[in-house]
Amino acid sequence: MAEAVTQPIDPPVLTTREGWGFGASQQLAPPDLADCAPKGTRVGPRDPRLMYHGQMLPVLTPALRRGLLDARRQLRKNRFSKLGRSTDMIIDGDRSTGKTTLLVQIGRGFQGMIEQDSGPDPSRIPVVYLNVPPQRDSNLDWSLPFAEFLGLNHTINPDDRNRRTADMTEPVAYVMRQANTRLVLIDGINRIRDNEITAAFDYFEALQDRANVTFIYCGTGAREIVHEARYGRRRKNLPDVVRGKTYFSDLPVLWSGVIPFGDDWHSVVQGFDDDLRLYDHKPGSLLKLSRYLHQRTGGYIGSLNDLICQAAQEAIETATKTEPEAITKRLLDDIRIGRGDSR
């Protein structure tokens, strides 16, 4: 089980080994009001509740529930598979539907499973988390974010002002093998341009050949991008059945979509309601606004998160003797998130 971790003021980013390790081991829990500044106390910008309501906890959406189940099954199978490349996975869906949250929670769950099974080991790096780099023209460009995550120096003559960057593919593969890396999370795969797809996935497959890892590709349109990479222009002579014309995808696709109004939506709103830490919040009051919240956000979890988090922070900062520290419809009407805003 992950140990409780005191959140630093500025936690390191997930795309570094230090940042990912902190995020994976952090015990997610809302602050206890008994440990917070008393009601009516003026709060500063680093107040624990203000910081907590900037993100809150991942609420269990239908996509998150199903995606975690599918990923756990596939990764459990991949972990003990020895022949050929591991079966990769894809996370796809519209913007603001929780794709990155699903990706990160899959990585957290997998790392927790490894540590629970094998015990803590500071030399082990079970998971690598990357964003698609801004430059993607060569193996060198792709190797650098891996090297940076792993903490590898990727310059020749680092003390020289005219230092140049080196292709780090082989050192990266070596460290991943030594550190028993088994899962690579690639976020923002939609940023790869059409003319870069083949080269990018050639690189991923070459890395898989050097280290027995599973890739999860995340981004809007990820299914089509991965399909083009696997059965695109370079494989035109394959029969139609292999080109993918008769099936949806030959890799598991974890979909993240808009949540329709109904029981699933009510459950998500209830999750936010339960996790609020406001002195004057009445349990269930957010759920009473469920229909309004769906109309404001269109069922997009990202928009709902922005709306609730901003409203909670505003309630904390503006609470007075006559103004309760609670989320009201009047307060929500005044928060701008893009979707459902009044003029």
Side-chain angles (χ1 to χ4, degrees):
M1 179 180 295
E3 296 181 359
V5 178
T6 301
Q7 181 171 343
I9 292 178
D10 295 305
V13 296
L14 293 178
T15 51
T16 64
R17 181 181 178 182
E18 177 190 15
W20 177 263
F22 172 82
S25 62
Q26 186 181 22
Q27 188 176 48
L28 302 178
D32 191 330
L33 284 176
D35 298 329
C36 298
K39 180 182 176 181
T41 303
R42 184 174 180 82
V43 301
R46 299 290 186 175
D47 178 79
R49 287 195 302 135
L50 208 62
M51 294 172 64
Y52 162 73
H53 286 99
Q55 181 175 354
M56 298 182 66
L57 306 183
V59 174
L60 193 62
T61 65
L64 185 57
R65 182 188 303 110
R66 182 68 208 192
L68 289 173
L69 173 62
D70 291 340
R72 181 178 63 83
R73 290 170 172 171
Q74 186 64 62
L75 290 172
R76 181 176 57 191
K77 180 266 178 188
N78 287 0
R79 185 183 176 194
F80 302 105
S81 179
K82 304 299 182 184
L83 297 177
R85 298 183 185 125
S86 296
T87 300
D88 296 329
M89 286 174 281
I90 301 166
I91 298 177
D92 201 343
D94 198 0
R95 292 174 181 267
S96 195
T97 55
K99 297 185 299 299
T100 293
T101 297
L102 173 56
L103 183 69
V104 170
Q105 291 306 312
I106 288 172
R108 278 173 52 90
F110 180 76
Q111 181 149 326
M113 180 191 71
I114 295 297
E115 292 176 352
Q116 185 178 39
D117 179 46
S118 304
D121 182 351
S123 67
R124 187 191 301 119
I125 310 175
V127 179
V128 170
Y129 175 82
L130 306 176
N131 282 308
V132 169
Q135 291 184 318
R136 303 168 290 268
D137 295 332
S138 67
N139 285 358
L140 184 151
D141 295 329
W142 278 107
S143 73
L144 298 189
F146 284 92
E148 289 172 358
F149 183 97
L150 298 171
L152 301 177
N153 176 30
H154 52 76
T155 58
I156 299 174
N157 299 324
D159 296 328
D160 187 343
R161 290 183 179 181
N162 297 319
R163 62 185 181 180
R164 59 192 178 91
T165 303
D167 182 355
M168 296 296 293
T169 300
E170 295 305 329
V172 162
Y174 174 80
V175 171
M176 288 171 65
R177 288 194 301 269
Q178 295 301 114
N180 291 314
T181 302
R182 298 304 305 272
L183 180 62
V184 176
L185 310 176
I186 305 288
D187 205 358
I189 202 73
N190 49 289
R191 292 198 294 273
I192 299 179
R193 294 185 291 266
D194 289 346
N195 63 338
E196 299 170 334
I197 290 175
T198 298
F201 282 82
D202 279 347
Y203 184 81
F204 298 148
E205 290 180 355
L207 198 56
Q208 279 185 305
D209 289 339
R210 292 166 169 81
N212 185 19
V213 295
T214 299
F215 278 75
I216 301 182
Y217 305 107
C218 178
T220 299
R223 183 183 70 89
E224 286 75 16
I225 293 169
V226 176
H227 179 77
E228 174 64 19
R230 291 165 63 84
Y231 302 115
R233 292 182 295 274
R234 58 184 174 154
R235 302 178 183 178
K236 291 297 186 181
N237 294 328
L238 293 177
D240 287 348
V241 67
V242 181
R243 291 183 193 169
K245 292 185 177 181
T246 60
Y247 52 81
F248 185 72
S249 175
D250 64 340
L251 293 179
V253 180
L254 315 181
W255 282 104
S256 185
V258 172
I259 307 169
F261 185 75
D263 290 344
D264 285 336
W265 178 257
H266 299 323
S267 178
V268 168
V269 174
Q270 184 65 63
F272 279 97
D273 192 294
D274 293 340
D275 291 338
L276 286 172
R277 289 300 181 267
L278 303 174
Y279 279 111
D280 298 317
H281 174 67
K282 296 180 180 179
S285 60
L286 205 61
L287 189 59
K288 293 179 181 179
L289 297 171
S290 185
R291 182 174 292 278
Y292 164 84
L293 291 171
H294 197 272
Q295 291 170 344
R296 275 295 307 273
T297 65
Y300 286 85
I301 186 64
S303 297
L304 179 65
N305 184 75
D306 283 346
L307 182 61
I308 300 303
C309 287
Q310 289 186 56
Q313 290 178 321
E314 188 69 11
I316 292 171
E317 281 199 326
T318 60
T320 63
K321 292 182 179 179
T322 58
E323 190 71 26
E325 189 182 280
I327 293 178
T328 64
K329 184 176 180 298
R330 181 166 62 86
L331 175 56
L332 292 169
D333 283 339
D334 196 51
I335 302 293
R336 293 189 177 276
I337 57 168
R339 290 188 173 91
D341 292 348
S342 58
R343 291 178 179 269

